[in-house]
Amino acid sequence: MRTIVFFDLPNIYAKDKRNYLQFRKYLLNEGFIMLQESVYSKITLNSQQCQLLIERLRKNAPKKGLIQVLTITEKQYAQIEYVIGEPNTKIINSEDRLVVL
């Protein structure tokens, strides 16, 4: 499964910018990768793990802004069509499971 987080956080005042940077750092520490600015993705093994991840996101989310989460299968994710631009070749994007030893 793939968990995708979309967020739009205020970035006007210093406190808001600090909250934005802390949330972004939290996503990176959780293992998310950036797909686009304010769009991050992470592979999860099953729906239970995905729900636990969403709960942790809720606990670490800033008070202001908009954060959305979408969960899709790897097969659905592999069907992304690029209208303009090219995929990032540094990111493994397939339906096969990746085992790191």
Side-chain angles (χ1 to χ4, degrees):
M1 299 191 82
R2 182 80 60 144
T3 303
I4 304 173
V5 176
F6 308 89
F7 63 93
D8 187 16
L9 301 176
N11 206 0
I12 298 172
Y13 302 109
K15 183 178 180 182
D16 292 336
K17 188 167 187 158
R18 186 171 41 254
N19 288 337
Y20 167 84
L21 292 172
Q22 285 176 344
F23 184 69
R24 184 181 178 282
K25 185 176 180 180
Y26 166 76
L27 290 175
L28 294 174
N29 287 337
E30 276 286 322
F32 282 86
I33 55 171
M34 185 172 76
L35 299 177
Q36 293 182 8
E37 188 174 335
S38 299
V39 180
Y40 287 73
S41 170
K42 180 179 179 174
I43 296 174
T44 54
L45 294 177
N46 53 39
S47 60
Q48 183 181 8
Q49 191 180 46
C50 181
Q51 289 302 317
L52 292 172
L53 179 64
I54 293 171
E55 287 301 317
R56 288 194 308 271
L57 279 170
R58 283 192 176 109
K59 290 178 184 176
N60 290 282
K63 303 293 182 216
K64 296 180 185 176
L66 175 66
I67 300 173
Q68 299 168 308
V69 178
L70 174 67
T71 303
I72 60 175
T73 65
E74 281 300 304
K75 187 173 184 176
Q76 291 168 327
Y77 184 80
Q79 294 175 354
I80 290 177
E81 293 186 33
Y82 292 87
V83 177
I84 296 175
E86 298 178 11
N88 187 348
T89 58
K90 295 179 184 177
I91 299 171
I92 297 173
N93 186 16
S94 72
E95 297 175 29
D96 300 330
R97 289 196 178 234
L98 174 67
V99 178
V100 180
L101 301 176

